[in-house]
Amino acid sequence: MEQQKVNLILGELAKLYPEAAPALKYRTPYELLVAVILSAQCTDERVNKVTAELFKKHNTPRTMLELTQEELEKYIFSCGFYRNKAAHILSASRDIMERYGGEVPKEHAELKTLAGVGQKTANVVYSVAFGGDAIAVDTHVFRVSNRLGLAHGNTPEKVEKDLNAAIPKELWSKAHHYLIYHGRRVCHSQKPDCKNCTLKEWCEYYNK
Ligand code: SF4
């Protein structure tokens, strides 16, 4: 896609969603890390309800590790995939205690070394908690950027690579939120509301 079209799309998204920001509630990088792990295949609203309870007593790696796998599973049960998620949260917490003195590391490469932390989680924590430049590719970002033609990929890795190439680095984190908002509000997975979409002029899917 030509740069001019990319700029027009980003400009329109910025106009549509000036308030674009993460919907997950967190107060520290560690809370964000746990919330992002819980958010896989789960709504942010549900995660916020679960973490409101969980973080009352367990919002640091040290206090999280006071819980057994089974105890943590009870807290996070309603988020789905609770066994894996509990195991990931506990392994990441152990790693943070043992290798990073109890603090979530700030560097992207270090975040990715934490057990249970993949590329998407590392990107969100790196950009949202530490102000780094990264585009985390979730289901909305994947769908909307492929439809618009900002990316052409059938894996999150390829889509992230395409977006990194198409979008100026300083806008990566913003673009991540814009694409999520557009996916939630207009470019729905089953029935995209193309008729009312102000991006249709530049959208590959619409203009096919
Ligand atoms: S025109 Fe349709 S497919 Fe394209 S971004 Fe808008 S809603 Fe999505």
Side-chain angles (χ1 to χ4, degrees):
M1 180 181 279
E2 314 92 79
Q3 196 58 46
Q4 198 200 359
K5 230 190 220 182
V6 174
N7 294 343
L8 287 165
I9 289 173
L10 291 173
E12 181 62 18
L13 286 168
K15 258 195 265 162
L16 288 171
Y17 311 115
E19 78 285 17
L24 291 172
K25 292 197 179 133
Y26 69 97
R27 288 162 300 187
T28 62
Y30 179 74
E31 287 190 358
L32 178 64
L33 175 69
V34 172
V36 177
I37 292 175
L38 291 175
S39 72
Q41 315 278 328
C42 180
T43 65
D44 291 345
E45 292 71 27
R46 163 65 48 198
V47 173
N48 287 339
K49 276 194 192 136
V50 165
T51 54
E53 277 310 305
L54 175 65
F55 291 162
K56 277 182 190 164
K57 287 192 183 157
H58 307 283
N59 71 333
T60 65
R62 190 179 54 76
T63 52
M64 192 65 77
L65 289 169
E66 290 166 357
L67 294 171
T68 63
Q69 164 91 19
E70 291 70 29
E71 286 167 340
L72 179 53
E73 285 175 5
K74 282 194 192 128
Y75 272 105
I76 67 169
F77 180 79
S78 63
C79 288
F81 302 98
Y82 60 94
R83 285 210 177 94
N84 277 343
K85 289 178 183 178
H88 288 160
I89 290 169
L90 292 175
S91 345
S93 303
R94 237 170 261 126
D95 262 2
I96 294 169
M97 289 303 289
E98 286 167 11
R99 295 197 282 119
Y100 294 102
E103 297 290 332
V104 176
K106 288 188 170 64
E107 295 305 323
H108 188 270
E110 291 174 335
L111 281 164
K112 276 194 72 179
T113 70
L114 299 174
V117 174
Q119 178 75 0
K120 191 195 91 174
T121 302
N123 280 4
V124 176
V125 176
Y126 179 64
S127 66
V128 174
F130 298 121
D133 298 312
I135 303 183
V137 178
D138 72 354
T139 175
H140 299 294
V141 174
F142 184 86
R143 178 179 75 256
V144 178
S145 53
N146 266 314
R147 281 183 180 159
L148 280 166
L150 287 171
H152 299 92
N154 51 12
T155 64
E157 292 74 27
K158 171 72 167 68
V159 167
E160 183 180 344
K161 209 167 152 220
D162 286 359
L163 291 174
N164 288 346
I167 297 173
K169 193 172 182 182
E170 65 277 13
L171 292 178
W172 287 354
S173 300
K174 273 275 170 208
H176 158 77
H177 296 302
Y178 292 155
L179 293 166
I180 290 177
Y181 270 56
H182 200 60
R184 285 195 176 134
R185 297 188 182 177
V186 183
C187 192
H188 311 293
S189 101
Q190 298 304 322
K191 283 194 182 159
D193 187 8
C194 300
K195 197 157 71 76
N196 294 308
C197 179
T198 52
L199 301 178
K200 59 178 176 281
E201 183 184 339
W202 313 294
C203 175
E204 269 187 19
Y205 175 93
Y206 182 78
N207 292 295
K208 244 192 230 159

